[in-house]
């Protein structure tokens, strides 16, 4: 990829010698130089910043590309996106604190979530965010009570609408249908407006909808946008003023072929066009993409532990990354490309079933054509989103290290805790000196 200024932002590419590179640096060299053990996440900060820049520039002044920090909250990534003009979409008090620590202006932060605790509402009220996105009438009453308790005025609120739009995606990431727990259904919008109007401390600023993730076609995104626009027409007709419409995230990414990934700016263009068409061109637009900014620009480097060939002929390739490091295959049956770090021309490949060390049958990445004998190191591609942010220390496994590449070198490293630290933090046990080395 080339930036508008012409500098190269490589992303994850293979060089002329068959070496898989991140930001132009061979991944094997990145791991060696960083001095971390595998599994390790490696990200290209320049490529991530370039997507943030393109999306920010595709929006008119006042509108916001609010990066869904849940996709990947690593400090260097969020700071790079904020630097490029992105705002942040948060869904917890922790994410809010992290976003503010990365220097984002509160007016560029939106906060969704069906079950915000009182202390989280208090934090959001105190921060004076662009909008607290309420997801039920009950929540509006709680928010009004917290605003009264804090003596706050002018608390910006947006109603997250559940428009009952079905998108063609995995059931676990579809959020805008009528059975989902998210958002305020059409029948309850009137009660939500009344509850906001009842409180002298709350101010309706926007309407939002996020109908699901992995939307690959603009027409599907347009269905959610149309629902928000129609709601805006009805709400404005009742005399409520609005500042912005938030049409959510969900810009899809192809996990099999990066060339099939839709240009994320097309979703923004679709939303802007629909708003104009519905007579809401005077309002600001907020979008909440997560995965589209980071998925393709991160990999997990994993080491092959050993093959295991069963008598039935199944060829397992057991690696040191597991479902605790990357949950998506186990949670959503997601496919991630798995490739050798160094590929040699003409080498024979056979079908390997790649699996991790976690004691669960679902810790299984699926079948891949890989060299035989297998290489020492593999890359699990497109792991930049919902990878490390969903990781756990299940099976008392340390969280993976993270390496951030920028301008052709290593910009930052977050080294994984050792065994002793992991056991202390996760299990509350202190190991005898030297026991983590035996
Ligand atoms: C409210 C909301 N906004 C934005 C997103 C980001 O979705 P994606 O990473 O698919 O763009 C999500 C994902 O779960 C979400 O729930």
């Amino acid at each position: 990829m080339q930036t508008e200024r012409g500098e190269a932002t490589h992303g994850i590419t293979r060089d002329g010698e068959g070496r898989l590179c991140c930001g132009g640096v061979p991944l094997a060299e990145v791991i060696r130089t960083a001095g971390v053990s595998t599994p390790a996440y490696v990200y290209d900060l320049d490529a991530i910043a370039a997507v943030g820049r393109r999306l920010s520039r595709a929006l008119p002044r006042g509108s916001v590309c609010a990066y869904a920090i849940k996709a990947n909250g690593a400090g260097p990534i969020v700071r790079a996106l904020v630097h490029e003009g992105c705002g942040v979409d948060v869904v917890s008090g922790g994410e809010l604190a992290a976003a503010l620590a990365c220097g984002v202006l509160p007016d560029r932060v939106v906060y969704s979530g069906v079950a915000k605790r009182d202390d989280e509402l208090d934090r959001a009220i105190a921060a004076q965010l662009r909008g607290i996105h309420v997801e039920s009438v009950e929540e509006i009453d709680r928010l009004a009570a917290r605003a009264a308790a804090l003596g706050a005025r002018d608390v910006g609120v947006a109603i997250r609408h559940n428009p009952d739009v079905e998108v063609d995606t995995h059931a676990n990431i579809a959020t805008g249908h009528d059975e989902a727990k998210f958002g305020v259904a059409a029948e309850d919008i009137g009660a939500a407006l009344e509850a906001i109007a009842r409180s002298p401390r709350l101010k309706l600023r926007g309407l939002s909808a996020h109908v699901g993730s992995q939307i690959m076609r603009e027409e599907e995104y347009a269905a959610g946008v149309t629902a928000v626009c129609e709601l805006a027409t009805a709400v404005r007709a009742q005399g409520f003023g609005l500042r912005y419409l938030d049409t959510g995230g969900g810009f899809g990414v192809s996990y099999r072929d990066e060339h099939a990934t839709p240009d994320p700016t097309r979703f923004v263009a679709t939303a802007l066009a629909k708003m104009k068409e519905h007579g809401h061109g005077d309002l600001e637009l907020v979008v909440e993409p997560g995965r589209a900014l980071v998925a393709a620009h991160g990999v997990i480097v994993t080491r092959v532990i050993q093959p295991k060939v069963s008598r039935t002929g199944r060829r397992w390739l057991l690696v040191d990354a597991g479902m605790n490091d990357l949950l998506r295959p186990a949670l959503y049956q997601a496919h991630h490309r798995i490739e050798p770090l160094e590929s040699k021309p003409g080498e024979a490949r056979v079908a390997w079933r790649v699996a991790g060390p976690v004691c669960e049958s679902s810790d299984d990445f699926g079948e891949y054509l890989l060299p035989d004998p297998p290489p020492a190191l593999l890359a699990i591609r497109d792991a930049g989103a919902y990878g490390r942010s969903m990781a756990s220390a299940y099976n008392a496994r340390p969280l993976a290290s993270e390496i951030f590449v920028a301008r052709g070198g290593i910009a930052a490293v977050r080294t994984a805790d050792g065994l002793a630290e992991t056991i202390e933090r996760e299990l509350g046990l202190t190991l005898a000196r030297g026991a983590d080395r035996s």
Side-chain angles (χ1 to χ4, degrees):
M1 194 194 289
Q2 261 328 80
T3 65
E4 279 149 40
R5 274 181 280 150
E7 77 248 34
T9 57
H10 307 264
I12 311 298
T13 51
R14 212 167 268 284
D15 71 6
E17 292 166 56
R19 299 175 302 182
L20 198 63
C21 300
C22 176
V25 191
L27 278 162
E29 188 183 315
V30 171
I31 295 292
R32 225 178 8 253
T33 311
V36 300
S37 54
T38 55
Y41 276 91
V42 185
Y43 307 103
D44 182 347
L45 282 182
D46 294 331
I48 291 169
V51 187
R53 187 155 58 237
R54 288 190 66 225
L55 278 165
S56 296
R57 289 187 185 171
L59 287 160
R61 213 184 155 75
S63 292
V64 185
C65 171
Y67 168 57
I69 192 173
K70 66 168 79 66
N72 191 325
I77 289 177
V78 182
R79 279 195 296 271
L81 290 171
V82 168
H83 182 75
E84 295 301 339
C86 292
V88 184
D89 163 43
V90 304
V91 294
S92 71
E95 286 190 352
L96 173 57
L100 295 174
C102 290
V104 69
L105 294 176
D107 191 49
R108 301 179 76 74
V109 178
V110 292
Y111 183 0
S112 312
V114 286
K116 306 176 192 83
R117 292 191 314 254
D118 281 0
D119 64 293
E120 292 178 308
L121 292 175
D122 289 357
R123 230 178 229 279
I125 291 169
Q128 299 184 312
L129 307 183
R130 168 176 284 243
I132 300 173
H133 289 194
V134 290
E135 305 219 16
S136 60
V137 178
E138 293 87 337
E139 185 187 8
I140 298 169
D141 292 335
R142 281 182 53 233
L143 180 61
R146 293 315 306 159
L150 297 175
R153 308 221 148 262
D154 249 353
V155 177
V157 175
I159 299 174
R160 177 172 176 185
H161 177 37
N162 184 333
D164 195 11
V165 167
E166 298 265 357
V167 289
D168 179 20
T169 190
H170 190 282
N172 291 5
I173 50 177
T175 55
H177 56 86
D178 63 348
E179 294 295 329
K181 67 178 174 179
F182 300 102
V184 178
E187 314 79 74
D188 298 323
I189 292 285
L193 289 169
E194 274 169 34
I196 293 170
R198 254 197 320 271
S199 166
R201 300 174 186 275
L202 306 186
K203 174 117 184 65
L204 183 69
R205 290 212 185 122
L207 300 171
S208 85
H210 168 84
V211 293
S213 284
Q214 278 297 72
I215 301 173
M216 300 303 281
R217 295 180 302 123
E218 282 117 288
E219 309 88 85
E220 285 195 277
Y221 194 66
V225 177
T226 300
V228 184
C229 286
E230 286 171 353
L231 179 62
T233 304
V235 167
R236 293 178 105 179
Q238 290 178 52
F240 287 92
L242 291 174
R243 176 183 175 193
Y244 69 93
L245 298 185
D246 180 333
T247 57
F251 308 174
V253 164
S254 170
Y255 283 90
R256 292 181 186 271
D257 169 14
E258 62 255 50
H259 304 294
T261 291
D263 176 350
T265 63
R266 293 208 321 244
F267 295 99
V268 168
T270 300
L272 289 170
K274 280 272 160 224
M275 280 168 66
K276 243 196 192 136
E277 190 183 309
H278 286 263
H280 302 306
D282 57 322
L283 300 182
E284 293 167 354
L285 169 65
V286 177
V287 289
E288 303 173 355
R291 166 189 338 252
L293 289 130
V294 287
H297 307 307
V299 299
I300 301 174
V301 175
T302 181
R303 193 171 292 279
V304 171
I305 295 177
Q306 60 167 79
K308 171 179 175 179
V309 180
S310 67
R311 265 191 258 164
T312 57
R314 169 151 286 173
R315 303 170 63 88
W316 292 100
L317 192 57
L318 303 169
V319 299
D320 67 358
M323 64 186 279
N324 71 301
D325 302 300
L326 181 67
L327 187 58
R328 298 189 68 257
L331 190 61
Y332 310 126
Q333 295 75 52
H335 170 87
H336 283 258
R337 291 173 286 171
I338 298 185
E339 300 174 3
L341 249 53
E342 319 223 325
S343 102
K344 300 175 192 75
E347 70 194 333
R349 296 201 169 201
V350 299
W352 289 103
R353 184 76 177 241
V354 181
V358 172
C359 208
E360 295 286 341
S361 301
S362 51
D363 186 25
D364 180 346
F365 295 107
E367 201 158 279
Y368 294 86
L369 280 178
L370 291 166
D372 186 24
L377 293 171
L378 297 171
I380 306 179
R381 301 281 307 268
D382 305 311
Y386 306 105
R388 184 57 158 70
S389 63
M390 282 186 158
S392 75
Y394 184 44
N395 279 188
R397 286 168 49 79
L399 293 176
S401 294
E402 292 182 288
I403 308 167
F404 304 87
V405 173
R407 291 176 293 283
I410 293 174
V413 180
R414 274 178 80 199
T415 306
D417 281 349
L419 202 60
E421 291 104 321
T422 302
I423 288 174
E424 168 114 45
R425 187 168 35 77
E426 296 295 324
L427 308 177
L429 293 167
T430 306
L431 294 187
R433 194 188 277 247
D436 56 336
R437 272 179 228 110
S438 58

